[in-house]
Amino acid sequence: LVKSGDRVKVGQKLGEQDGFISAPVHSSVSGTVLAVEERRHPVLGSGVLSVVIKNDRQDTPDESVKPHKDIDELTPEEIVEFFNGK
């Protein structure tokens, strides 16, 4: 979904799933896409399509990321629910 030179934000979808067992890929950082290329998987050793991003260290969230509420306002129970996917 992205190409070299694109600006990306935290949480932005970078790639769609296309296999039986797969999931979409989202950015964990904000910055500039340097390349979309095959890289060696550190565990499997095989090549996998990868998005290389130059991190701008701004952690700018994508517009699709909608926080529940400020982290300091969450109760311990709400934090557990959030991380359990509820």
Side-chain angles (χ1 to χ4, degrees):
L1 299 175
V2 296
K3 63 186 179 314
S4 184
D6 286 354
R7 296 264 318 135
V8 296
K9 297 176 180 178
V10 175
Q12 180 177 338
K13 190 185 290 187
L14 303 176
E16 291 283 0
Q17 69 273 15
D18 70 355
F20 176 67
I21 300 176
S22 61
V25 177
H26 295 81
S27 182
S28 59
V29 299
S30 58
T32 303
V33 176
L34 297 179
V36 178
E37 62 189 20
E38 202 166 284
R39 294 275 178 115
R40 184 174 305 276
H41 189 281
V43 175
L44 302 176
S46 59
V48 294
L49 188 59
S50 304
V51 178
V52 182
I53 301 171
K54 180 178 181 182
N55 187 342
D56 65 10
R57 310 257 184 244
Q58 299 298 306
D59 292 328
T60 307
D62 187 65
E63 293 75 22
S64 65
V65 176
K66 308 236 186 290
H68 181 64
K69 58 182 165 179
D70 188 272
I71 188 78
D72 295 326
E73 296 176 17
L74 293 173
T75 66
E77 293 79 17
E78 289 174 316
I79 293 171
V80 169
E81 285 179 18
F82 175 79
F83 285 104
N84 286 329
K86 294 181 180 176

